[in-house]
Amino acid sequence: MAFSPKKNILGSTWEWVKSMNRRFWLLKYLVAAVLTLGVTLFSGDKTLLGYLDLRERERYIQTEIKRERTIYEQDSTRVSELKELGVGVEEIARERYLMHAPGEEVFIIKRPDSLAKE
């Protein structure tokens, strides 16, 4: 008879649950729906937070694609101009890479820091 208080508590709790079920019959469906949505949206591999993170990442990648596309278009127009003219290759080789023709001397003149800032 040591278990009678526990049985009494469980019995009264069960009676309370049954009375709540009679009064609020939609409550069990609402609780089940909320639990189901909670589990599916906030736990597991594909969650709502993961989806929002992926959307933010997609927007970032799209902006990067737009930026890189403009750079690519600028570079491709520059390359096509260089192919058409042919003179631009020599100019770039001399200015950027300090190349020179055979038998030619190149003098590099550097400005002092005070003149370069002005």
Side-chain angles (χ1 to χ4, degrees):
M1 293 287 186
F3 297 107
S4 63
K6 288 184 181 180
K7 286 184 180 180
N8 192 12
I9 291 173
L10 289 177
S12 64
T13 305
W14 182 248
E15 291 300 322
W16 179 80
V17 169
K18 284 174 35 178
S19 69
M20 291 300 283
N21 188 24
R22 285 186 210 114
R23 277 189 257 160
F24 305 106
W25 59 274
L26 285 176
L27 184 63
K28 61 184 171 186
Y29 300 112
L30 181 64
V31 169
V34 167
L35 287 176
T36 303
L37 285 174
V39 167
T40 57
L41 292 179
F42 299 110
S43 69
D45 294 337
K46 299 176 183 175
T47 64
L48 180 64
L49 300 175
Y51 173 74
L52 295 176
D53 186 38
L54 286 176
R55 283 187 55 191
E56 180 182 339
R57 185 174 177 205
E58 181 184 11
R59 273 189 243 117
Y60 172 74
I61 290 173
Q62 291 297 332
T63 58
E64 287 292 314
I65 287 172
K66 287 178 185 176
R67 186 178 63 83
E68 293 295 329
R69 186 172 288 143
T70 57
I71 293 171
Y72 171 75
E73 289 171 356
Q74 291 172 354
D75 290 345
S76 63
T77 55
R78 179 77 173 142
V79 166
S80 64
E81 289 174 359
L82 290 176
K83 285 181 180 179
E84 291 173 4
L85 299 177
V87 179
V89 175
E90 184 179 347
E91 181 181 323
I92 290 174
R94 288 178 184 273
E95 291 177 1
R96 288 190 187 170
Y97 303 110
L98 305 174
M99 294 181 167
H100 56 87
E104 184 178 67
E105 292 185 25
V106 176
F107 297 99
I108 301 173
I109 302 172
K110 293 185 178 181
R111 292 184 181 191
D113 292 336
S114 61
L115 293 176
K117 291 180 183 176
E118 295 174 1

